[in-house]
Amino acid sequence: MFFEVSISRRRRFRPAGAAALALGLAAVTGCSSDSGAGDDTVKVGLVASLSGTYKPVGTDLRAGFELYLDTHGNKLGGREVELIVADEGDGPPTAVPAATKLVKKDKVDALTGLVGGGSVNAVLPLVNQAKIPFLGSNGRPVIKDLEYVWTTSFLSDEPGKAIAPYVKEKVDGPVYAIGPDYQGGYDELRGFTDEFKRVGGELANPDGKTTWTPFPKTTNFMPYFAEIAKTDAKAVYCFYAGKAAIDFAKQYAQSDIADLPLYTAFVTEGSVLQAQGDAAKDIYSVLNYAADLDNAANRKFAADWTAKHDTQPTTYAMASYDAAAVLDKAIADAAKNGDVTPQTINKAIADLGQIDSPRGAWEFGDKAHSPVQAWYLRQVRPDGNQLANVMVQDLATLGG
């Protein structure tokens, strides 16, 4: 079920393994309500990719959460915060031990972050057994047991679902779909291909199915581009992030298919855009945030971000900033009603209602515990003397 949300749209601002999981679960002997929240300090654990392919994404997740703390006196809900950061690496083999330490040894009151969908799936049994709220701040797969699971970003199939009707309308002919062969890639591309076919679109892939590139070892995309050139593709749709996005965009611009319109999720988002340079010009992307959205929350967020960083704020930073904002409100509400524990924080999150966010107002849907929010089409264009992801138009409102 979809809901409509009032969102400001004008622009002004320019600024694993199973063994590791088993060990992790065995180590959890109780919930983190023993963390010492009674001493008016709240412990928050943040797990993000601070090394590996998705280091640029993980770095922004950490920076977004830290920005909220920096601009709110290092307090959430009026309580001092101890933020403990751990490295997710490239997926479950490192994410599970990192999260296990935060829950078992550090006894955090809430967990946030996680870049990869595979990491989310691997860590969830730990979260459920410990009974602590998890606020994911990047793409998340569909999950059945949502009692302690929330996301301030999106479900991983939503970007592709949001842009598919637009691509069908604008492209006169079949579209080639390509992405990385791991959980996040499967979810992202499924969202596009399922919706694209539903609205009457045709894939240019010879077998009618997405082409998968081995993750994380694929750094040379030229052979894939050569195969695309042999088809009747009139455009390409893909999902890549981090270092893979840099490689993909640079090589695409030098390939035999450079003249084909490129529609993406995340390929030009964040610091990778600087590394891509002119190769990124004109690339279209779909996201739930653009740095030039004109609303009061975004003007403050963007100004605070650019005061500390030499890049535009990203959806990664924004979602993590919002995770802190959610915890801020939830901890304050829990304190009004009694003790602050992981369980009372989780209950307060469920009752929050609308969140005033840089992306525009949103709220958690009851069915998926993910934001009901607008999605935007952006294009890489010159903005002053720099390239930027400039918002072009609204695409859809999804969530539930």
Side-chain angles (χ1 to χ4, degrees):
M1 181 175 181
F2 295 150
F3 305 85
E4 291 297 325
V5 180
S6 175
I7 295 177
S8 175
R9 297 177 171 90
R10 294 174 300 158
R11 295 182 289 116
R12 182 184 303 158
F13 179 79
R14 297 286 190 191
L21 177 57
L23 287 172
L25 290 177
V28 180
T29 58
C31 76
S32 52
S33 57
D34 299 326
S35 64
D39 65 3
D40 287 343
T41 296
V42 175
K43 287 187 177 182
V44 178
L46 188 152
V47 188
S49 296
L50 305 177
S51 63
T53 302
Y54 286 157
K55 180 179 178 181
V57 179
T59 299
D60 273 7
L61 292 188
R62 178 178 64 182
F65 201 97
E66 290 176 341
L67 179 64
Y68 191 94
L69 293 180
D70 289 346
T71 54
H72 290 77
N74 197 53
K75 291 185 177 181
L76 295 177
R79 301 197 172 205
E80 289 290 333
V81 174
E82 181 181 355
L83 179 65
I84 309 171
V85 179
D87 187 8
E88 174 185 351
D90 267 333
T94 43
V96 171
T100 299
K101 174 186 176 296
L102 293 174
V103 173
K104 166 61 179 173
K105 182 177 179 181
D106 300 312
K107 297 182 179 179
V108 297
D109 297 291
L111 194 67
T112 188
L114 291 182
V115 172
S119 296
V120 173
N121 278 335
V123 167
L124 284 187
L126 175 69
V127 168
N128 289 330
Q129 184 170 333
K131 294 183 169 62
I132 64 172
F134 166 61
L135 275 164
S137 50
N138 200 42
R140 194 199 78 194
V142 174
I143 292 166
K144 291 184 179 179
D145 187 354
L146 290 166
E147 183 177 2
Y148 293 98
V149 179
W150 310 87
T151 181
T152 58
S153 50
F154 52 88
L155 297 186
S156 297
D157 65 349
E158 290 179 333
K161 185 182 297 184
I163 197 174
Y166 177 87
V167 175
K168 172 63 173 65
E169 177 186 346
K170 295 296 181 181
V171 177
D172 184 19
V175 174
Y176 197 97
I178 183 171
D181 67 343
Y182 73 103
Q183 183 66 54
Y186 302 149
D187 293 339
E188 294 281 354
L189 270 295
R190 185 190 70 250
F192 175 79
T193 57
D194 284 359
E195 183 68 8
F196 191 60
K197 291 175 182 177
R198 190 190 72 80
V199 297
E202 177 188 354
L203 293 184
N205 306 62
D207 58 358
K209 298 178 181 179
T210 299
T211 295
W212 303 111
T213 60
F215 176 86
K217 65 182 181 180
T218 302
T219 58
N220 179 16
F221 292 95
M222 285 300 193
Y224 296 97
F225 298 151
E227 290 302 312
I228 296 174
K230 296 176 184 177
T231 71
D232 58 350
K234 302 302 181 185
V236 174
Y237 179 82
C238 74
F239 155 75
Y240 290 98
K243 184 181 181 301
I246 299 173
D247 293 336
F248 190 95
K250 282 190 168 184
Q251 294 169 30
Y252 193 94
Q254 299 297 320
S255 73
D256 292 338
I257 59 170
D259 60 334
L260 294 183
L262 179 58
Y263 297 91
T264 75
F266 301 97
V267 167
T268 60
E269 181 68 358
S271 61
V272 297
L273 181 57
Q274 292 177 309
Q276 291 161 347
D278 287 346
K281 279 184 178 178
D282 299 326
I283 293 178
Y284 287 99
S285 61
V286 52
L287 268 184
N288 58 346
Y289 175 70
D292 55 356
L293 288 173
D294 182 27
N295 60 66
N298 190 47
R299 287 193 293 274
K300 182 183 187 312
F301 170 65
D304 290 342
W305 177 269
T306 53
K308 290 177 174 288
H309 305 275
D310 61 356
T311 61
Q312 286 192 324
T314 65
T315 191
Y316 314 122
M318 178 277 296
S320 196
Y321 182 91
D322 274 8
V326 166
L327 286 173
D328 194 4
K329 293 181 67 175
I331 291 167
D333 290 348
K336 291 177 186 175
N337 297 320
D339 292 337
V340 175
T341 68
Q343 290 75 39
T344 61
I345 294 172
N346 192 67
K347 183 179 184 302
I349 292 173
D351 297 331
L352 281 185
Q354 196 170 85
I355 306 298
D356 186 22
S357 166
R359 80 190 82 177
W362 64 271
E363 60 185 333
F364 288 115
D366 292 334
K367 291 180 64 177
H369 287 188
S370 64
V372 181
Q373 63 187 334
W375 288 87
Y376 306 104
L377 179 71
R378 302 109 47 88
Q379 188 180 33
V380 177
R381 300 174 180 175
D383 184 12
N385 59 359
Q386 292 185 329
L387 291 175
N389 290 292
V390 176
M391 205 276 275
V392 177
Q393 68 175 69
D394 296 2
L395 289 172
T397 296
L398 302 178

